[in-house]
Amino acid sequence: MKTTAKFEEVSHGSIWLIALRSSLLFMVICGIAYPLASTGLAQLIFPHQANGSMIKDSTGHTVGSELIGQTFADPSFFQGRISSIDNDGAGSGSGNYAPSNPELLKRVKDSIAQWEKENPKVPVSELPVDLITNSGSGLDPHITPASAEVQIPRISALRHIPEEQLKQLVAKSIEGRDLGVFGEERVNVLKLNLELQKLGSK
Amino acid sequence: MDILQICIVIAVLLLLVKPVGSYIYHVFSNEENRTDKIFGPVEKLFFKIIGLKNRSGMNWKKYALSMIATNIILVAVSYLILRLMGGLPVNPNQTGNMEASLSFNTVISFMTNTNLQHYSGESGMSYFGQMIVITMMMFTSAASGLVIAIAFMRGITRRGGGMGNFFEDFVKAHTRVFLPLALIVTLVLVGLQVPQTLEPTVTVNTLGGAVQHIAMGPVASLESIKHLGTNGGGFFGVNSAHPFENPRPLTNVIEILSMWTISAALPYTFGRFAKNRKQGWIIFSAMMVLFVAFLCLTYFSEKSGNPLINQLGINSTQGSMEGKEVRFGVAQSALFTTVTTAATTGSVNNMHDTLTPLGGLAPLAEMMLNVVFGGKGVGFVNMMMYAILGVFICGLMVGRTPEFLGRKIESREMKLIAIAILAHPFIILVPTAISFMTHLGTDALSNPMYHGLSQSLYEYTSSAANNGSGFEGLGDNTVFWNVSTGLVMLLGRYVSIIALLGVAGSLSRKRTVPETIGTFHTDTKLFGGILVGTVLLIGALTFLPVLVLGPVAEFLTLK
């Protein structure tokens, strides 16, 4: 029984005491020291990113974060994806409609009807699915390049800017896949609209 | 491009398994090695602070008691903090105290490494709570799970009943694994635009002329340990779908590898402990085969989209985009979903509730099996349970006393394993059934018909597997759901841990049986096949009926 005798050195009482002391130790280390150290280092090395990647317009006003989607009710702007929370950055969430949920089908049909009304020149068969579906976060800042391109005829008509010029603008705004392979090609709607505003003429 | 980017991530994982597995082995083999110079002095200080005078080995009961004692104390203190949060410091957004049943659910959820969240981080948790309760428990619960797996490995590979010293392992899991890794990943994430600040919510006037409030906070430091520790609880309500938690595809890849690598490396670590690396690779391969099968199911199902929407005549070549983010698309979303439910992390980068029926079946099935890599330690231990069961079944077929790693498997071990195997379906199916018998349960469902069943089933499966993801449409912040899922999480975590430590303790006291010509080798491809077969057989027998009622029925009727 030599081997078992060795285990008896730690009594049950001292296990609870050590457990208490290690709990407190790791509350301080992991719960206070680690996040504060991370914050300090992050603010020192990457201040712009650590504070939410805020973005300014041409007059120097902060107009939002490049990572957080915004609602553009005015049809002369490029529009982002559907957001069931109206891009409220203080919350987040999606409608969470299951594929079989009748509410989903109804919402999508309504979106298509509205699209047809606002974009009579573009056939529905060219309307990309990301433009009429709810994003996961409700804050998706991006649309696919195709979703930007199909909006060009509408914006061109409303702003009296030649389609060719808008096509170049969209092409310039396309962000590639990360490291050339990961994720999808995308267009940041807020950044695109800031560029659009610079073109003026409405 | 979709398939290519998925294959690259898997290839990087394969390259990481060996170095990470070896590193973990060296951390816990307690033999001298180079890293002692760096971490030794800090650890000595920590041992002194916690009053650990001798680091002698513990038997399995002492080891389990030490873990449970630590967990109970952490739960008690954290509960108090959440209840009093409104009056505590570092609360720039003036978040109030948390309600009792929600606090109960939250502390259990984070202590059991589940991270089911019935609160929304933006509004329900102060920065102080995010740090000292949430971030802290992400470390301590991950460390608890990891050291349990290590103790199990020691138990079944060593002789004499010693499982190691819990507190020594617990400290080392922090100092040598989670803290340094978390700090590095945090800084990389901040560099890639994940916020890390103590400033309150920012208010801006948008380009479109509206007022927008933008919540942020110490996100990156939580995000890194959330994945490294396979925790999964988000800083924000929508978790890693939120552009601040996961701003680009590259952060998505980093988060996937963070949650996957340690779990995937543990079979290799086991191979080192067992002095039989091939044994480790066979177990790894069994996990990988199951993983790839589920990944294919989710990917192809999502890529083919929702037939109801496809019929509307729009351009739906992207696949199902409801509940997904444009930057991730179908490929990075399907991969994240399959990994997060395999590694039982429970973070989500797309809304699982909106997955196509078969796309949602895969994550559900992975959590039901609970052995495809699995969470910090626990998944590995569960896979070993099936390995022993597989050996037992084979032994019965040829009429020999089954052996595993040279030790006889006898009735005591099989009884404990039977408890662990039966507990998992019991705590999923019984509460799901109960939730349908009362309006307290059915009122929470946000979808009609078959998908409603899937919602409730997913919630309890996720709780039992300590995953924590949800079909988030469920209105689950009520006393009924908080308490019932809280109990399921407790049982899901501790019953199998205690039973399997018991198995390891019992095996470690056994004499090694000499190898003969009749010995059934467990480090062969044949055994890998038997292992996969055992897992699928038990899983199918248990869960197929309920899967047919939920996702399969939804799939068949979606036309």
Side-chain angles (χ1 to χ4, degrees):
Chain A
M1 293 306 282
K2 253 185 193 166
T3 46
T4 48
K6 204 174 71 183
F7 305 137
E8 301 308 321
E9 289 169 22
V10 201
S11 73
H12 284 239
S14 67
I15 281 183
W16 281 92
L17 193 64
I18 299 174
L20 177 66
R21 288 164 74 162
S22 36
S23 300
L24 295 178
L25 172 71
F26 285 109
M27 285 193 118
V28 174
I29 301 278
C30 305
I32 298 176
Y34 159 75
L36 290 187
S38 303
T39 310
L41 285 171
Q43 291 287 344
L44 197 69
I45 311 175
F46 304 111
H48 174 69
Q49 292 93 321
N51 291 309
S53 307
M54 305 310 278
I55 195 168
K56 291 187 167 117
D57 67 4
S58 50
T59 59
H61 286 111
T62 302
V63 290
S65 162
E66 65 168 277
L67 296 175
I68 304 294
Q70 298 188 353
T71 307
F72 292 96
D74 182 349
S76 71
F77 277 119
F78 285 95
Q79 285 166 353
R81 301 185 63 192
I82 290 178
S83 166
S84 54
I85 53 164
D86 198 25
N87 288 299
D88 176 9
S92 58
S94 102
N96 280 306
Y97 286 141
S100 59
N101 195 323
E103 298 285 325
L104 171 71
L105 201 60
K106 186 177 169 298
R107 196 201 69 208
V108 170
K109 280 180 176 162
D110 289 349
S111 301
I112 293 177
Q114 197 192 341
W115 167 266
E116 284 177 316
K117 212 167 67 189
E118 286 179 1
N119 302 272
K121 282 191 203 158
V122 186
V124 170
S125 60
E126 284 177 22
L127 172 61
V129 70
D130 64 295
L131 215 47
I132 49 157
T133 44
N134 198 337
S135 68
S137 59
L139 299 170
D140 196 341
H142 298 112
I143 51 177
T144 53
S147 289
E149 280 153 18
V150 293
Q151 300 189 45
I152 288 176
R154 181 191 77 226
I155 293 168
S156 166
L158 288 171
R159 287 193 180 250
H160 311 296
I161 298 174
E163 288 196 17
E164 203 46 46
Q165 204 179 345
L166 290 174
K167 272 183 192 158
Q168 283 171 11
L169 188 72
V170 168
K172 221 171 59 186
S173 307
I174 296 175
E175 297 171 20
R177 296 167 192 262
D178 283 9
L179 305 179
V181 56
F182 295 120
E184 305 291 330
E185 286 192 335
R186 56 205 183 273
V187 173
N188 186 305
V189 182
L190 176 58
K191 282 185 180 171
L192 178 62
N193 280 332
L194 281 171
E195 293 299 317
L196 178 67
Q197 208 182 27
K198 280 185 199 160
L199 290 182
S201 131
K202 195 173 169 181
Chain B
M1 205 54 122
D2 279 5
I3 309 285
L4 178 68
Q5 56 177 305
I6 290 175
C7 289
I8 291 177
V9 177
I10 295 179
V12 174
L13 176 87
L14 292 176
L15 291 175
L16 285 172
V17 163
K18 200 172 157 183
V20 174
S22 296
Y23 178 75
I24 296 175
Y25 169 73
H26 287 301
V27 169
F28 294 106
S29 67
N30 295 341
E31 288 154 12
E32 282 182 26
N33 70 74
R34 277 172 294 172
T35 50
D36 287 345
K37 270 200 192 131
I38 313 169
F39 300 110
V42 185
E43 282 161 3
K44 269 201 190 122
L45 177 70
F46 283 4
F47 292 145
K48 214 169 165 185
I49 295 175
I50 65 173
L52 188 67
K53 288 197 188 71
N54 63 56
R55 285 175 265 154
S56 55
M58 297 171 165
N59 61 23
W60 78 268
K61 285 180 187 157
K62 283 252 162 77
Y63 201 98
L65 174 73
S66 305
M67 184 201 82
I68 291 169
T70 312
N71 284 197
I72 287 176
I73 293 167
L74 289 171
V75 161
V77 179
S78 302
Y79 179 83
L80 282 179
I81 292 175
L82 292 186
R83 297 286 287 139
L84 303 171
M85 195 161 61
L88 294 172
V90 206
N91 189 6
N93 291 328
Q94 285 154 18
T95 310
N97 298 337
M98 197 180 262
E99 179 266 328
S101 77
L102 184 57
S103 303
F104 167 81
N105 186 278
T106 303
V107 291
I108 286 179
S109 170
F110 280 84
M111 194 71 255
T112 57
N113 204 253
T114 312
N115 294 209
L116 194 73
Q117 293 169 295
H118 288 179
Y119 66 94
S120 192
E122 296 94 331
S123 51
M125 189 65 79
S126 73
Y127 289 178
F128 189 69
Q130 294 276 23
M131 285 161 44
I132 201 158
V133 176
I134 304 302
T135 309
M136 178 279 288
M137 277 191 165
M138 287 188 169
F139 278 99
T140 48
S141 68
S144 301
L146 179 61
V147 304
I148 289 296
I150 299 293
F152 183 85
M153 290 179 199
R154 288 193 190 118
I156 64 174
T157 56
R158 287 183 185 173
R159 295 268 307 280
M163 316 283 280
N165 185 298
F166 170 79
F167 295 106
E168 181 184 10
D169 292 344
F170 189 64
V171 168
K172 280 181 156 182
H174 284 97
T175 53
R176 298 197 187 199
V177 182
F178 293 118
L179 278 167
L181 280 176
L183 204 55
I184 295 168
V185 174
T186 299
L187 290 179
V188 173
L189 289 179
V190 177
L192 294 168
Q193 296 184 300
V194 179
Q196 177 71 26
T197 170
L198 295 177
E199 295 296 315
T201 298
V202 177
T203 303
V204 295
N205 292 310
T206 65
L207 192 58
V211 174
Q212 189 180 36
H213 304 282
I214 302 176
M216 48 184 104
V219 184
S221 60
L222 184 144
E223 199 65 21
S224 60
I225 187 60
K226 158 176 135 186
H227 287 110
L228 287 166
T230 65
N231 293 286
F235 191 95
F236 301 104
V238 288
N239 213 293
S240 293
H242 197 291
F244 275 158
E245 290 203 23
N246 198 354
R248 42 192 319 141
L250 196 56
T251 53
N252 198 55
V253 170
I254 291 170
E255 289 173 17
I256 287 174
L257 289 171
S258 297
M259 62 174 141
W260 203 1
T261 307
I262 296 179
S263 295
L266 281 179
Y268 186 83
T269 308
F270 172 67
R272 293 291 301 263
F273 270 105
K275 304 218 168 15
N276 182 348
R277 291 179 204 195
K278 202 175 160 205
Q279 180 74 66
W281 282 117
I282 290 293
I283 293 169
F284 175 86
S285 310
M287 292 173 167
M288 201 57 165
V289 166
L290 290 167
F291 174 82
V292 172
F294 287 121
L295 175 63
C296 290
L297 182 60
T298 303
Y299 173 75
F300 289 110
S301 179
E302 292 307 305
K303 194 72 192 173
S304 59
N306 180 349
L308 294 179
I309 292 182
N310 296 353
Q311 282 162 12
L312 300 177
I314 53 165
N315 173 5
S316 50
T317 46
Q318 292 172 66
S320 170
M321 285 303 287
E322 178 76 13
K324 291 191 185 63
E325 302 281 295
V326 164
R327 59 193 181 283
F328 304 136
V330 166
Q332 288 291 332
S333 298
L335 184 61
F336 197 100
T337 291
T338 321
V339 173
T340 193
T341 44
T344 73
T345 308
S347 54
V348 294
N349 81 345
N350 65 93
M351 295 298 114
H352 288 188
D353 206 3
T354 59
L355 288 169
T356 56
L358 295 186
L361 184 143
L364 197 51
E366 279 187 312
M367 295 189 294
M368 286 170 167
L369 301 179
N370 207 9
V371 294
V372 187
F373 298 106
K376 275 298 135 303
V378 182
F380 171 78
V381 171
N382 281 335
M383 193 52 142
M384 298 309 289
M385 167 175 94
Y386 280 99
I388 295 173
L389 186 69
V391 167
F392 180 75
I393 293 173
C394 293
L396 288 184
M397 285 196 279
V398 296
R400 258 180 71 96
T401 311
E403 296 157 18
F404 187 61
L405 303 176
R407 324 240 172 138
K408 282 203 167 99
I409 309 290
E410 288 164 309
S411 68
R412 182 181 151 80
E413 291 83 41
M414 286 320 296
K415 276 181 200 159
L416 286 167
I417 285 181
I419 291 174
I421 284 193
L422 291 174
H424 187 61
F426 186 82
I427 57 176
I428 292 174
L429 299 175
V430 172
T432 305
I434 292 174
S435 78
F436 279 98
M437 287 190 275
T438 155
H439 69 92
L440 293 173
T442 49
D443 282 354
L445 306 177
S446 63
N447 283 293
M449 300 282 287
Y450 310 114
H451 195 85
L453 178 87
S454 304
Q455 279 189 300
S456 179
L457 178 67
Y458 194 101
E459 186 77 358
Y460 287 112
T461 308
S462 174
S463 303
N466 295 139
N467 178 284
S469 63
F471 271 15
E472 284 301 343
L474 192 72
D476 47 19
N477 183 15
T478 63
V479 174
F480 173 81
W481 288 97
N482 285 339
V483 172
S484 64
T485 53
L487 294 175
V488 169
M489 288 188 276
L490 272 182
L491 294 170
R493 175 90 165 170
Y494 295 104
V495 169
S496 66
I497 281 183
I498 294 170
L500 288 158
L501 276 181
V503 171
S506 156
L507 284 178
S508 74
R509 285 194 300 271
K510 288 190 183 185
R511 235 175 242 286
T512 317
V513 193
E515 198 170 292
T516 66
I517 191 161
T519 304
F520 177 59
H521 288 274
T522 53
D523 55 358
T524 60
K525 284 189 193 125
L526 172 66
F527 182 71
I530 289 172
L531 187 52
V532 173
T534 310
V535 169
L536 289 179
L537 186 71
I538 303 275
L541 285 174
T542 322
F543 292 111
L544 212 51
V546 75
L547 286 176
V548 168
L549 286 176
V552 175
E554 190 187 4
F555 169 72
L556 293 174
T557 51
L558 196 64
K559 284 202 175 74

